Amino acid sequence: MKITVVGTGYVGLVSGACLADGGNEVLCLDLDAGKIKTLNDGGIPIYEPGLQEMVNRNHKAGRLAFTTDVAQAVAFGTVQFIAVGTPPAEDGSADLQHVLAAARNIGRHMRDYRVVVDKSTVPVGTADKVRAAIAEELKQRGTDIAYSVVSNPEFLKEGAAVEDFMRPDRIVVGSDDERATQIMRNLYAPFQRSHERVIVMDVHSAELTKYAANAMLATRISFMNELANLAERLGADIECVRRGIGADPRIGYHFLYPGVGYGGSCFPKDVQALMRTAGEAGMDLLILAAVEKANAAQKQVLGGKILKRFGADLKGLHFALWGLAFKPNTDDMREAPSRVLVAELLARGASITAYDPVAMPEARHIYQAESRVRFADSPMAALAGTDALAIVTEWKEFRSPDFQRIKQVLRTPAIFDGRNLYDPAEVRQNGLEYYPIGRL
């Protein structure tokens, strides 16, 4: 099948590469000439495990191509995926200007039947706006060409996106048109050979499903973070509580790990957008308002522990920071808890040496004007000349450190662990002060 993917960001590039790997011919369109040059030269503009190899393999095989030519892209694929960004507007709503611009381009250049697929995370009602935008362009052209608009939200986890696409747990298709529905079934058939994973529903329900999923996961995270903070006050261990409630099959263990709050490009944006959508429908989502408030507060918790230990004035103190990305296996620092901690430490007069296996190029860009933020080439190198260690991202290489070496290097043998990576008793037996989240 010939497929066009509009947008070569996180969702678009992963979707395009995986669809090509399934044997389809895929043309990815992006108006950013720099991105397209990078892709045609064999690079990729984002970090995602396994993606570079997949892009290169399919590009070399001729199944995956990249262009800035809108007319060429619209003419190429019977299926046109819209996978452009929907950044939050100032009022928290999703900004649909790029989605609707892509729809208008399709209406302006299409010559025969097209299935237009909303892959971007968009509010309920966006498919109606896409359909109207295409219809308006066709009307201005004085032509009548059949087309269908489908909602097919992505459920890709950063750091595991390729695996999620190739082996999905569900494929949601919002469609009111049987022809389009069958095309989508055929498209996804190679990705669900063991059993049926396509869930067909009406378009509005599909659009809401994506927001509901992310809002539910964000709620679990904030709930566990609040329980962890309570456990500290009550003298309980949140790890014991986690195991106790996770054993209930109605609850399960997923997303029950407390920490320093959620970040990234999805949860913060989608929670706000869903609240905005509810407001426009005359309803307040009280639980989500609390989730967002709790998450903002949780990002301050690790800094609060440092201030409690060292005092409010941190002038002259130098801290090591392990982890900058909002989660492992990505270089994404959007809404990352590390940025809140760095801002707090700098505001109090401290300086920082940071290490992250993947996100340091992005961090160097963010902090290029800040002389008190430095970077190291390894976790242990980041400790040199520092007063204490703060851990913000749970990268695997942080899981089994040499505690004795850490104790020898740090001026104050203290670890502030925002991800509960270690057994508190083991750390303290090695002569280190240990400040986790909700652990005894």
Side-chain angles (χ1 to χ4, degrees):
M1 193 179 298
K2 288 189 174 182
I3 301 164
T4 293
V5 179
V6 183
T8 60
Y10 184 82
V11 174
L13 188 57
V14 170
S15 299
C18 290
L19 288 167
D21 211 56
N24 299 288
E25 296 178 58
V26 180
L27 179 62
C28 292
L29 167 71
D30 203 296
L31 300 184
D32 185 335
K35 274 188 179 181
I36 295 302
K37 184 179 187 306
T38 296
L39 290 161
N40 281 323
D41 289 345
I44 60 173
I46 59 174
Y47 175 82
E48 178 63 34
L51 183 60
Q52 176 79 70
E53 297 81 5
M54 181 177 282
V55 168
N56 290 347
R57 180 172 66 249
N58 286 281
H59 187 46
K60 184 177 180 181
R63 291 189 298 268
L64 182 61
F66 307 99
T67 186
T68 58
D69 188 325
V70 174
Q72 178 194 5
V74 175
F76 184 82
T78 299
V79 180
Q80 302 265 321
F81 280 92
I82 298 178
V84 296
T86 54
E90 290 185 8
D91 61 2
S93 62
D95 186 344
L96 297 178
Q97 62 172 317
H98 302 301
V99 171
L100 297 180
R104 284 191 289 271
N105 282 334
I106 293 169
R108 196 171 296 137
H109 295 283
M110 62 188 287
R111 293 289 179 266
D112 50 15
Y113 177 75
R114 291 290 179 264
V115 178
V116 181
V117 182
D118 284 337
K119 196 69 174 171
S120 303
T121 300
V122 293
V124 176
T126 299
D128 299 334
K129 295 178 181 179
V130 167
R131 188 177 291 108
I134 296 172
E136 180 61 28
E137 291 295 332
L138 292 174
K139 182 180 178 181
Q140 290 183 17
R141 289 170 53 192
T143 188
D144 184 16
I145 302 172
Y147 65 96
S148 303
V149 178
V150 170
S151 174
N152 176 219
E154 54 85 14
F155 298 96
L156 307 177
K157 299 185 295 291
E158 289 194 49
V162 171
E163 178 71 14
D164 286 347
F165 196 104
M166 299 301 286
R167 295 176 176 82
D169 47 24
R170 80 282 208 195
I171 301 165
V172 172
V173 174
S175 173
D176 303 316
D177 179 89
E178 186 53 43
R179 180 181 180 185
T181 300
Q182 190 56 52
I183 288 174
M184 296 301 289
R185 286 189 183 278
N186 294 342
L187 178 64
Y188 280 113
F191 303 96
Q192 49 167 347
R193 305 218 22 156
S194 61
H195 65 275
E196 177 73 24
R197 291 179 171 86
V198 171
I199 304 171
V200 179
M201 59 185 72
D202 64 276
V203 173
H204 286 183
S205 295
E207 291 171 329
L208 182 56
T209 295
K210 168 61 177 181
Y211 278 117
N214 279 356
M216 174 63 79
L217 296 174
T219 299
R220 285 173 70 102
I221 292 171
S222 283
F223 178 71
M224 283 304 292
N225 284 336
E226 291 228 292
L227 278 186
N229 297 338
L230 178 61
E232 284 191 11
R233 296 195 178 200
L234 299 179
D237 188 333
I238 194 61
E239 176 60 16
C240 296
V241 175
R242 183 190 71 81
R243 294 201 306 268
I245 64 176
D248 186 331
R250 296 171 300 174
I251 298 172
Y253 291 103
H254 293 298
F255 279 77
L256 290 187
Y257 291 93
V260 285
Y262 60 76
S265 62
C266 294
F267 287 6
K269 172 177 69 72
D270 293 351
V271 167
Q272 291 178 9
L274 186 53
M275 292 169 63
R276 178 70 181 182
T277 296
E280 291 173 352
M283 178 180 175
D284 292 328
L285 295 181
L286 303 180
I287 290 176
L288 283 193
V291 166
E292 188 176 44
K293 184 178 180 181
N295 190 60
Q298 196 67 21
K299 290 182 179 181
Q300 303 285 343
V301 166
L302 203 62
K305 290 177 180 288
I306 292 172
L307 295 178
K308 185 176 180 180
R309 171 59 179 81
F310 288 98
D313 186 357
L314 301 179
K315 289 186 179 69
L317 295 180
H318 190 63
F319 292 91
L321 186 63
W322 284 2
L324 293 162
F326 85 94
K327 63 179 283 188
N329 297 320
T330 181
D331 61 352
D332 194 343
M333 288 184 63
R334 286 173 288 185
E335 303 283 344
S338 65
R339 300 180 70 162
V340 176
L341 180 60
V342 168
E344 177 72 24
L345 296 179
L346 293 177
R348 300 284 182 171
S351 55
I352 297 161
T353 297
Y355 170 77
D356 187 288
V358 172
M360 287 200 294
E362 176 66 13
R364 284 191 171 98
H365 173 72
I366 293 170
Y367 297 112
Q368 58 186 322
E370 182 49 71
S371 61
R372 287 183 291 150
V373 177
R374 307 165 205 162
F375 301 95
D377 295 330
S378 71
M380 292 307 298
L383 302 181
T386 60
D387 291 279
L389 166 63
I391 303 173
V392 188
T393 313
E394 64 274 33
W395 287 96
K396 285 184 179 178
E397 65 183 273
F398 301 157
R399 292 183 181 272
S400 301
D402 185 334
F403 292 121
Q404 283 298 312
R405 266 189 78 193
I406 293 175
K407 180 185 175 184
Q408 292 167 7
V409 174
L410 293 177
R411 292 180 185 136
T412 302
I415 298 177
F416 298 85
D417 185 358
R419 296 298 180 182
N420 289 353
L421 293 184
Y422 312 126
D423 175 15
E426 181 186 0
V427 179
R428 291 167 183 146
Q429 285 169 5
N430 279 278
L432 287 151
E433 299 175 27
Y434 188 53
Y435 302 94
I437 306 292
R439 305 284 323 260
L440 292 176

